[in-house]
Amino acid sequence: MTQLWGIVNVTPDSFSDGGRYASVEAAITHGRELLAAGAHVLDIGGESTRPGSERVPVEVEQHRVIPVIEALAAEGATISIDTMNASTAAAAVRAGARYVNDVAGGLADPDMYAAVADSGADYVLGHWRGPSSDMYAQAHYTNVGAEVAAEVADRLAGAIAAGIAPERIVVDPGVGFAKTAEHNWALLRELNHVTGLGHRVLIGTSRKRFLTTALGDSTTEEQRDLATAVTSVLAAQAGAWAVRVHNVAASRDALAVARTWQGVIDD
């Protein structure tokens, strides 16, 4: 069954929910809601990676996320920390996180691989070409699927050499990161390049702007939830192990319909 990762943005400037869950209390409540909707993992982040965003101090990031992780992990939730900082990754694992979701794939912090190797957590290695403040400057590809897979393979080699066991690594091809809308659609069509690397694959399309290619520019972030659910099904059919979404219920239902269509009835 495809894993559902529910997004908890403990930030005041998220593109998708406008800081709705920026307080510790609101984030904890939202995490519980996502679990009730069927999330297998809660992906908790304290630093926005939307296009154009600037980095925040590590101390601020940790102040936002650690209390949320501690509270939800204590209730039995499986937690992922969405961070590019090695010290935040280590602190989050101590607080109860079981995954480190690094959209930068180790490129933003040279200590990340060692921190993850020592922590024992599973590692989501994202495809990244530069900071969110200027990510589109690097959006140049001839064959996006093959190039992303090759760059991820290079980072995988570094992560494994640093002591992260291959079976602990999940790959995220970085939909929306240093990629135009055309690149994102092509990457999803060519997902076999990434699944062919032999690791679990996490796909994050949720509410992203490239979806407006199909829907029209006037759609709001939340109006993209149905389109996101469709991409969840298509990603699962293409071999994705997990999808990372804001609206867990929508993708849960879409995946359930697809499984039933295929004759797979859940117990």
Side-chain angles (χ1 to χ4, degrees), residues 6-11 20-35 41-47 60-82 88 91-98:
I7 299 168
V8 181
N9 290 316
V10 195
T11 58
R20 192 178 306 167
Y21 312 113
S23 73
V24 169
E25 296 76 14
I28 292 170
T29 298
H30 186 52
R32 292 170 180 153
E33 292 168 348
L34 293 175
L35 291 170
V41 177
L42 297 178
D43 192 40
I44 299 172
E47 179 178 22
V60 172
E61 179 190 32
Q62 294 182 20
H63 178 75
R64 292 171 177 173
V65 299
I66 298 302
V68 180
I69 293 169
E70 289 175 337
L72 291 168
E75 296 177 9
T78 301
I79 304 296
S80 166
I81 175 62
D82 179 1
T88 299
V93 173
R94 290 193 296 269
R98 291 169 52 186

Side-chain angles (χ1 to χ4, degrees), residues 1 12 22 26 44 51 56 66 77 79 81-82 84 97 104 149 153 210 214 226 231 236-237 262:
M1 180 186 297
I44 299 172
V56 302
I66 298 302
I79 304 296
I81 175 62
D82 179 1
M84 295 183 284
F210 83 100
L226 177 57
T231 65
Q237 292 176 343
Q262 294 164 344

Side-chain angles (χ1 to χ4, degrees), residues 136-207:
Y136 293 123
Q138 305 297 323
H140 304 288
Y141 304 87
T142 300
N143 184 330
V144 65
E147 289 173 54
V148 166
E151 290 171 29
V152 168
D154 183 63
R155 302 310 301 165
L156 282 168
I160 293 167
I164 306 175
E167 61 270 18
R168 288 169 51 198
I169 301 177
V170 180
V171 168
D172 179 350
V175 173
F177 289 91
K179 299 169 187 74
T180 65
E182 181 180 356
H183 293 144
N184 290 320
W185 290 113
L187 176 61
L188 292 171
R189 287 193 296 269
E190 300 167 11
L191 204 57
N192 60 296
H193 290 284
V194 177
T195 58
L197 295 172
H199 293 264
R200 292 169 290 170
V201 173
L202 172 70
I203 296 296
T205 63
S206 189
R207 298 182 177 175

Side-chain angles (χ1 to χ4, degrees), residues 86-141:
S87 62
T88 299
V93 173
R94 290 193 296 269
R98 291 169 52 186
Y99 293 88
V100 174
N101 180 11
D102 175 14
V103 299
L107 293 175
D109 189 333
D111 297 325
M112 180 62 87
Y113 292 163
V116 174
D118 291 343
S119 75
D122 282 12
Y123 181 53
V124 182
L125 187 157
H127 177 264
W128 193 76
R129 282 186 168 181
S132 296
S133 59
D134 193 28
M135 69 166 67
Y136 293 123
Q138 305 297 323
H140 304 288
Y141 304 87

